[in-house]
Amino acid sequence: MMARWIRLACPEFDSACARLAQAQAGGAAPIVAWAQGDARHLFALVAPLKHAPGRRKRWFSWAAAPAAATYRQFGLPAYLEGEALWLHGRKIADGAVGSIGECALIGSSFLARFPAQCVATPARELEQAFRLRLEAQHGWQFDTSWPSEAETLRYAIA
């Protein structure tokens, strides 16, 4: 199934995600919204209700399991408990679940600096790893492609 990946600005992230959910029809493709921040990288899944699990109490685990898998890919044993991401018994990110119009809207975040490594993980590397975990877990294919580093430099110079 095709899905969309949209990068947004942090200050307007919540309201932009709500507007995306309101604008989507029931047959639309799922959207993953992403915003890179200094302390946290925000993400939200905007999915027509037909794609979300039947019970609302399962929505967060359905949406955030790829985030936990992304942390594990970087060697951090993150897990889900309630509507939050946890690491070593400490809550590292809250989650939010709601429905707007014909869509489920589920959001949370990644730490920009991983505590066990004490170094910043490059945002692009984290974003790509999360995208791959979403594709694997939900069977989605994103209709965007990222420019290579050479392409990015070429466009920046031009």
Side-chain angles (χ1 to χ4, degrees):
M1 167 190 339
M2 291 302 291
R4 293 186 177 86
W5 190 279
I6 299 175
R7 290 184 179 140
L8 300 170
C10 276
E12 298 87 25
F13 188 78
D14 292 339
S15 62
C17 290
R19 289 191 308 270
L20 281 170
Q22 186 64 44
Q24 295 294 26
I31 294 172
V32 177
W34 175 268
Q36 181 179 325
D38 293 331
R40 296 193 165 274
H41 304 308
L42 309 173
F43 70 88
L45 270 67
V46 179
L49 293 171
K50 71 179 187 174
H51 297 298
R55 294 180 191 239
R56 186 182 175 118
K57 70 180 182 177
R58 295 184 182 147
W59 290 2
F60 182 75
S61 60
W62 170 76
T70 301
Y71 273 113
R72 289 192 297 273
Q73 183 174 327
F74 286 97
L76 298 171
Y79 58 95
L80 305 175
E81 188 172 308
E83 287 187 4
L85 283 159
W86 293 73
L87 178 64
H88 301 301
R90 188 178 129 234
K91 187 188 296 187
I92 56 173
D94 281 314
V97 174
S99 62
I100 297 177
E102 298 182 55
C103 289
L105 177 58
I106 306 104
S108 191
S109 63
F110 284 97
L111 295 171
R113 185 186 256 332
F114 289 177
Q117 296 172 329
C118 297
V119 295
T121 301
R124 291 264 180 159
E125 188 178 329
L126 178 65
E127 182 180 5
Q128 180 64 20
F130 182 48
R131 179 180 164 160
L132 292 173
R133 297 289 50 85
L134 281 162
E135 288 177 349
Q137 202 139 5
H138 295 305
W140 297 347
Q141 294 180 350
F142 292 97
D143 65 356
T144 57
S145 61
W146 311 131
S148 68
E149 190 170 331
E151 289 171 322
T152 302
L153 290 173
R154 182 175 41 204
Y155 294 132
I157 293 170

